[in-house]
C-alpha cells in the first residue's frame, strides 16, 4: 500500500494525460470500445506472434480455420467443415465468398501459404513446433485444403485457429505486413503507434455479419494502477490481467465497473537457463526452489488472486491435472545444504558463498509492466542475498525481456504463460529439445519421447499417463519452477454489453460486443 500511495499522484497525472489524448467526436457509427492493455504487441503477423497482446489484436483482424469457444472446443470459422479422412489426413472445406480486407478472395492457396511458411525454419515462427507433425499442406481445389501428418495428432484442431494471411498481401508488403496486416476478421487494421495505441475499425463485409462496434482502440498502459484508474475514470472501457490485488478490490466497489474473476489458462514461473554454467547444476536449481516462499507470495502479494502451483499441469486440464505431483517445497535448511553440497561456502566470512575463488552470483530478471512480478522478484532477491548468494535484479520492459529469453542472455527469469489450451500447448514447445520456445535449453530424451507420444494419443487415459510423467520429470529437473496458477481478472465498464471473458484471455467475443 505504501508504494501505491507514493505512485498515486503521478498515476492521476498520467490518467489526465491519457484522457486528453483520446480523439473527441471521432467515434464512427456503432460506438468505440477502448481497451487498456499492459504491453505493446511485438508484431501483428499471426505467424510470428509471441505475446498475448499480439494474439488479442490478431484475432480481431484475422480468422483461423477454426475458433475455440469458451469451453475450448473447436468451432467452424473460415472452414465451414472438416473431415478426418484417415488417422493422418485431415481435409478442411473453406467457407464460400470470404474476402480479405483488401477485397481479394480467400482461397485454399492462402491457407497453404500460411502453414507452409510457418513450417519453414527461415520464418522463425515461434509456434512452429506446434505444427511439426504436418508433412504436407495442399489445395485440392480453391475451397479444399488437405493436411497430411507424420502421425496421428490429437491437438491439431485446437491449433487450427492460427490466423490465415493473404499470400498476395504478404508478398506485396514484405516485412511491412507485420505493421499493416490484412486479414479476414471482424475488424480491419487502421493504425499502430508504437507503445501508444492500435486502432481497428469494423469490417462491414465480415462473413459473420457486421460487428456491433464501429471501432476498437487498444491503449497501451503499462502500469496496473494507471490502467485501473483509467477504467474507474471512464477513460477506457475494459482492462484485464495482470492487475494488482489492491486495484481489483477498489474496482469491485466502483459503481461504473463490473469485475469478473476466473482461473486462467496460465502460469507464472521461473525459467532457469540450463545453458548457464551455474544454473546447469541441479543442486542450484533445487536450492533456489527451496528458498521460494510460495504460499506467502500467493497470500501477501497476489492476495489469493492466483493459486500456489504444484507442477506444470494446469487445473483446467480436466482428467490430466493432479495435485499429487509436487515441486520442492519451502525449506531454507535444505537449500543451504544443497549449496554446501555443490561446494559453495563462505570461506572468508564476507556473507557471500564462494568456491575456488569465485563468488556465488546470480541475476534474476523480470519485466517492469507487472508490479506483482516486480514485488516477487524484489522479495526473492532479498531471500537469495540472506542465503549467501550475491543476487542482482534486472528489470526491463517486456520486449527487452523477450529478447533476453530468445537470445539466451539470462540466468533466471520470472515471467508467465497464458492461453495454454492443451497439455501439448503447455509443454511441447517449452520442454521438447526441438521446441521452438525451449528458451532454457532443456533436453531430456525421455521427455522428448513422451511429448512425441502424447500428441499422437487421443485416449484421455493415455494422455493423462503421459503428461503426468512429463510433469513429474519437470518437477524433479526444474527447468521451470511453477510459482502460481494465474487468476484471470477482467474489469468492464457497465456500459459495455455482450463481452464474454474467456479463461484463455481471448477477446473473440468483441465481435458481439457493443457500447451505446
Amino acid at each position: 500500500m505504501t508504494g501505491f500511495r507514493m505512485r498515486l499522484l503521478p498515476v492521476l497525472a498520467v490518467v489526465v494525460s491519457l484522457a486528453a489524448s483520446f480523439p473527441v467526436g471521432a467515434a464512427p457509427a456503432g460506438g468505440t470500445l477502448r481497451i487498456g492493455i499492459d504491453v505493446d504487441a511485438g508484431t501483428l503477423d499471426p505467424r510470428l506472434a509471441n505475446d498475448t497482446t499480439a494474439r488479442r489484436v490478431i484475432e480481431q483482424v484475422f480468422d483461423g480455420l477454426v475458433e475455440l469457444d469458451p469451453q475450448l472446443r473447436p468451432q467452424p470459422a473460415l472452414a465451414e467443415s472438416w473431415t478426418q479422412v484417415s488417422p493422418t489426413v485431415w481435409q478442411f472445406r473453406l467457407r464460400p465468398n470470404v474476402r480479405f480486407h483488401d477485397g481479394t478472395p480467400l482461397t485454399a492457396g492462402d491457407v497453404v501459404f500460411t502453414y507452409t511458411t510457418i513450417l519453414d525454419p527461415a520464418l522463425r515462427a515461434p509456434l512452429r513446433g506446434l505444427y511439426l507433425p504436418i508433412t504436407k499442406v495442399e489445395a485440392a481445389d480453391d475451397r479444399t485444403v488437405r493436411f497430411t501428418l507424420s502421425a496421428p495428432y490429437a491437438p491439431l484442431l485446437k491449433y487450427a485457429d492460427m490466423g490465415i494471411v493473404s499470400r498476395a498481401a504478404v508478398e506485396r508488403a514484405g516485412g511491412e505486413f507485420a505493421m499493416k496486416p490484412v486479414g479476414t476478421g471482424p475488424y480491419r487494421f487502421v493504425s499502430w503507434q508504437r507503445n501508444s495505441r492500435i486502432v481497428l475499425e469494423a469490417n462491414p463485409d465480415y462473413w459473420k455479419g457486421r460487428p456491433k462496434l464501429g471501432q476498437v482502440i487498444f491503449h497501451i498502459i503499462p502500469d496496473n494502477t494507471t490502467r485501473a484508474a483509467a477504467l474507474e475514470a471512464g477513460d477506457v472501457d475494459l482492462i484485464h490481467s495482470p492487475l494488482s490485488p489492491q486495484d481489483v478490490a477498489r474496482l469491485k466497489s466502483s459503481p461504473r465497473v463490473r469485475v469478473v474473476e476466473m482461473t486462467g489458462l496460465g502460469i507464472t514461473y521461473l525459467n532457469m537457463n540450463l545453458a548457464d554454467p551455474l544454473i546447469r547444476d541441479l543442486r542450484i536449481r533445487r536450492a533456489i526452489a527451496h528458498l521460494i516462499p510460495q504460499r506467502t507470495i500467493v497470500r501477501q502479494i497476489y492476495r489469493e488472486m492466483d493459486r500456489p502451483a504444484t507442477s506444470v499441469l494446469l487445473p483446467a486440464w480436466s482428467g490430466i491435472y493432479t495435485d499429487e505431483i509436487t515441486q520442492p517445497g519451502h525449506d531454507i535448511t535444505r537449500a543451504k545444504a544443497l549449496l554446501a553440497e555443490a561446494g559453495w561456502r563462505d570461506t572468508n566470512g564476507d556473507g557471500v558463498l564462494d568456491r575456488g575463488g569465485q563468488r556465488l552470483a546470480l541475476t534474476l530478471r523480470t519485466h517492469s509492466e507487472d508490479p506483482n512480478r516486480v514485488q516477487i522478484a524484489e522479495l526473492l532477491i532479498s531471500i537469495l542475498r540472506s542465503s549467501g548468494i550475491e543476487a542482482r535484479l534486472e528489470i526491463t520492459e517486456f520486449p527487452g525481456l523477450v529478447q533476453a529469453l530468445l537470445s539466451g542472455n539470462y540466468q533466471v527469469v520470472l515471467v508467465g504463460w497464458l492461453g495454454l489450451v492443451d497439455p501439448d500447448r503447455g509443454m511441447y514447445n517449452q520442454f521438447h529439445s526441438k521446441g521452438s520456445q525451449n528458451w532454457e535449453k532443456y533436453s531430456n530424451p525421455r521427455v522428448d519421447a513422451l511429448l512425441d507420444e502424447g500428441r499422437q494419443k487421443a485416449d484421455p487415459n493415455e494422455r493423462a499417463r503421459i503428461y503426468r510423467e512429463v510433469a513429474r520429470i519437470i518437477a524433479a529437473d526444474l527447468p521451470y519452477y511453477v510459482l502460481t496458477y494465474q487468476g484471470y481478472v477482467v474489469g468492464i465498464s457497465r456500459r459495455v454489453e455482450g463481452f464474454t471473458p474467456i479463461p484463455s484471455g481471448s477477446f473473440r467475443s468483441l465481435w458481439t460486443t457493443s457500447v451505446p
Side-chain angles (χ1 to χ4, degrees):
M1 288 301 291
T2 303
F4 168 70
R5 286 174 182 146
M6 290 177 66
R7 290 199 303 270
L8 187 56
L9 286 177
V11 162
L12 291 175
V14 172
V15 172
V16 170
S17 171
L18 179 66
S21 72
F22 290 163
V24 177
T32 296
L33 184 75
R34 302 156 303 171
I35 303 173
I37 54 177
D38 54 324
V39 297
D40 199 0
T43 175
L44 295 183
D45 184 334
R47 302 168 302 162
L48 298 173
N50 202 27
D51 59 82
T52 51
T53 295
R55 284 197 281 276
R56 288 184 177 110
V57 177
I58 283 167
E59 65 187 7
Q60 309 311 316
V61 179
F62 295 87
D63 294 299
L65 293 173
V66 308
E67 62 182 40
L68 302 182
D69 67 15
Q71 288 72 45
L72 306 179
R73 297 171 301 199
Q75 301 294 336
L78 292 181
E80 62 180 5
S81 64
W82 52 84
T83 306
Q84 187 171 14
V85 178
S86 75
T88 57
V89 177
W90 287 75
Q91 194 158 285
F92 293 83
R93 183 68 172 164
L94 298 184
R95 197 174 295 280
N97 305 317
V98 175
R99 292 186 175 273
F100 288 102
H101 298 154
D102 62 2
T104 57
L106 167 78
T107 70
D110 296 302
V111 180
V112 172
F113 176 77
T114 299
Y115 282 94
T116 301
T117 50
I118 288 172
L119 288 166
D120 183 351
L123 186 66
R124 303 182 69 180
L127 298 182
R128 177 173 175 266
L130 303 184
Y131 302 99
L132 286 177
I134 300 171
T135 57
K136 187 192 300 181
V137 189
E138 55 191 333
D141 58 48
D142 271 357
R143 288 185 51 207
T144 307
V145 184
R146 185 178 299 122
F147 287 74
T148 302
L149 311 173
S150 58
Y153 189 32
L156 177 67
L157 279 181
K158 284 187 177 177
Y159 298 159
D161 66 344
M162 169 62 66
I164 301 301
V165 301
S166 158
R167 175 172 189 165
V170 170
E171 292 180 343
R172 186 171 59 245
E176 289 294 305
F177 185 81
M179 295 290 293
K180 298 176 180 176
V182 176
T184 58
Y187 295 95
R188 301 186 297 208
F189 174 80
V190 175
S191 64
W192 183 6
Q193 293 174 255
R194 282 283 192 182
N195 299 313
S196 177
R197 65 180 191 166
I198 299 170
V199 180
L200 310 178
E201 66 180 6
N203 171 14
D205 302 318
Y206 189 46
W207 54 270
K208 282 185 182 178
R210 183 187 179 103
K212 293 180 179 179
L213 294 167
Q215 192 176 56
V216 177
I217 303 177
F218 292 84
H219 288 282
I220 293 93
I221 310 172
D223 185 271
N224 286 359
T225 299
T226 305
R227 214 160 54 252
L231 179 63
E232 287 179 282
D235 292 327
V236 298
D237 306 301
L238 190 156
I239 62 174
H240 62 97
S241 296
L243 292 170
S244 301
Q246 66 270 21
D247 296 329
V248 173
R250 197 176 66 256
L251 289 173
K252 286 179 179 176
S253 64
S254 170
R256 290 185 175 196
V257 176
R258 180 168 63 97
V259 174
V260 180
E261 296 177 273
M262 61 185 72
T263 301
L265 286 170
I267 57 173
T268 296
Y269 69 99
L270 290 173
N271 184 307
M272 313 253 202
N273 185 0
L274 275 65
D276 180 84
L278 176 67
I279 303 303
R280 188 182 301 140
D281 189 332
L282 176 60
R283 294 166 296 189
I284 296 295
R285 301 198 298 279
R286 291 187 67 85
I288 292 171
H290 279 305
L291 288 173
I292 298 172
Q294 184 189 37
R295 294 190 177 277
T296 300
I297 289 170
V298 167
R299 188 173 58 252
Q300 295 189 0
I301 296 181
Y302 285 110
R303 299 188 191 179
E304 314 287 352
M305 203 165 63
D306 285 22
R307 293 171 51 188
T310 56
S311 74
V312 293
L313 298 179
L314 266 65
W317 296 340
S318 178
I320 292 175
Y321 170 76
T322 172
D323 61 5
E324 295 175 356
I325 300 170
T326 58
Q327 307 169 116
H330 188 215
D331 186 340
I332 294 174
T333 303
R334 180 61 184 146
K336 291 183 175 178
L338 283 165
L339 294 172
E341 188 181 313
W344 296 96
R345 292 177 174 80
D346 184 6
T347 59
N348 58 8
D350 67 352
V352 177
L353 302 176
D354 57 87
R355 186 179 66 184
Q358 177 190 356
R359 293 161 72 85
L360 179 53
L362 184 149
T363 299
L364 171 63
R365 301 185 65 158
T366 193
H367 61 103
S368 58
E369 292 88 346
D370 188 333
N372 299 332
R373 288 180 188 164
V374 171
Q375 281 189 62
I376 294 167
E378 290 172 344
L379 174 64
L380 294 182
I381 289 294
S382 173
I383 292 170
L384 291 169
R385 286 176 179 166
S386 67
S387 302
I389 300 173
E390 192 171 69
R392 189 172 73 90
L393 177 59
E394 190 167 330
I395 301 173
T396 58
E397 293 184 347
F398 189 70
L401 189 68
V402 171
Q403 189 54 45
L405 286 163
L406 293 174
S407 66
N409 180 27
Y410 69 98
Q411 288 183 295
V412 180
V413 164
L414 177 63
V415 68
W417 283 110
L418 187 60
L420 305 179
V421 298
D422 187 273
D424 183 84
R425 180 67 188 88
M427 298 191 201
Y428 191 92
N429 264 353
Q430 292 87 341
F431 304 125
H432 195 287
S433 59
K434 296 180 180 176
S436 51
Q437 292 169 320
N438 182 352
W439 302 313
E440 69 279 6
K441 301 293 185 290
Y442 177 66
S443 180
N444 182 320
R446 178 59 182 161
V447 169
D448 284 359
L450 286 166
L451 291 174
D452 285 335
E453 183 185 3
R455 53 179 31 189
Q456 297 177 26
K457 301 292 185 185
D459 179 78
N461 293 329
E462 282 293 289
R463 299 195 88 207
R465 174 187 63 78
I466 291 165
Y467 289 115
R468 286 176 181 178
E469 183 174 346
V470 174
R472 285 190 190 92
I473 296 172
I474 297 302
D477 287 352
L478 290 172
Y480 278 23
Y481 174 85
V482 187
L483 182 63
T484 72
Y485 300 127
Q486 293 180 5
Y488 185 59
V489 182
V490 179
I492 316 167
S493 166
R494 291 192 179 277
R495 73 191 193 103
V496 175
E497 298 177 353
F499 180 78
T500 304
I502 298 174
S504 65
S506 167
F507 282 0
R508 271 287 174 198
S509 67
L510 289 189
W511 175 66
T512 58
T513 300
S514 64
V515 178

